[in-house]
Each structure stands twice: as structure tokens, then as C-alpha cells.
Amino acid sequence: MGEQGVIGEAVARTVRALRAGHGWSLDELAGRAGVSKGVLVGLEQGRGNPNLGTLIRISDALGVPLTRLVQVEEEPPMRMFPPERHVVLWEGEHGGRGTLLAGSDPRPSLELWRWELRPGESRDSDPHVPGTKEIVYVQDGTLTLGVDGRTDLVEAGAAAVFVGDRPHSYANAGDRDVRFVLAVLDL
């Protein structure tokens, strides 16, 4: 397969994935990009040789830079984060820790954290970018979760989903350690 064929496959794969991510039909993307449905079908099947103008119109409609459409390097289907790559990014006054275990990039990104809060420790977080969501699962203890002025107790074994684009906090108001896992979808 020549270089054009490899790029055509990369464009086809990327456009299909981005269109699906938006939930758009072929007709909808064709209309938004101002290209014919036939051109779009050919492009998504890796056929034809779309000109630069067509690629720019499609990338603009999808809201991504042109380089995203034509880059041949595919993100590997799996990336490992062995323990030595885990990063402690927060340390509490009594020895608690917030450890980033793994993350994807670029945005939208997904982060996975392991947290330990000793009695009396708390972590306040500024709002993240609009649309950010977080999920917390408490393994041990009782987490005091504050979101946008509201406070809830999350007991061991329970999970909670909340908006991360408002001020929020994690606290241990109890007398034993709190351990929880946190996932952050940062848009």
C-alpha cells in the first residue's frame, strides 16, 4: 500500500470515529461540511483522493485540526502504566495521598486516581473545564463529598457520579482512613 493509501485509511478511520462520536449521520456531516454525501462515503471507505479543501471543510465541521484527520500514527489500543509511572500529586498534612494511576490524552481525557485521606484531611478542588464529570468509589471509610455547596456522605462500597465543573471537595471527617478510587472525564 502506497503512502496515499495509508493516509486514506487513517482519514477513513478517523472521520468514521469522529462522526460516530458526534452521533451524526453521513448526510448530517456532509451538510455541515458542505461536501457531497458521495465524496464522504468514498472518504470513509478509504477510496478516492480527497483534495485539501475537502479535508479542511470536513475537519472544520468535526471541530478538529486538519492534522488529526491525516496523521497516520494510530493511538495504540492499550498503554501500560506500571507502578513506577504512578504519580503522587497531592499529599495531606497527616500522610494522605492522591495518586494519578493512569490517564489518556489528548482531551477529552480520562484519568484514574487512588486517594487516601487520613482523619481530618480534606482536598478542595477548583472547578474543571465545563462538562467535566467525576465518579468516586469508596473502598474504606466514609468520604465527605462536597459539590457546589452541597455535602453528602459516601459510605464504603458506594459510588457517586458528580459534576466536576463546579467547586468540589473530598474530606475525611471520621476517625479512620478513607480510601477511594476516582475517575475524571475531562472534556
Side-chain angles (χ1 to χ4, degrees), residues 3 13-14 27-28 47 58 66 68 75 80 96 98 110 128 140-141 152 175 187:
E3 186 171 326
R13 184 174 52 243
T14 304
D27 287 319
E28 188 163 0
R47 294 186 282 106
I58 290 170
L66 179 63
R68 174 86 183 273
E75 184 177 343
M80 290 290 289
L110 182 61
H128 301 295
D140 296 300
D152 288 284
D175 56 5
L187 301 174

Side-chain angles (χ1 to χ4, degrees), residues 51-112:
N51 65 36
L52 180 58
T54 298
L55 290 173
I56 288 172
R57 285 195 294 278
I58 290 170
S59 66
D60 285 349
L62 290 167
V64 297
L66 179 63
T67 52
R68 174 86 183 273
L69 291 191
V70 298
Q71 62 192 11
V72 175
E73 299 81 23
E74 188 176 5
E75 184 177 343
M78 188 198 57
R79 285 172 41 208
M80 290 290 289
F81 291 85
E84 61 270 15
R85 287 196 58 196
H86 300 173
V87 185
V88 176
L89 292 176
W90 178 85
E91 293 192 32
E93 57 198 33
H94 304 301
R97 302 175 130 204
T99 305
L100 179 60
L101 302 175
S104 66
D105 59 83
R107 281 195 167 119
S109 64
L110 182 61
E111 299 170 350
L112 183 64

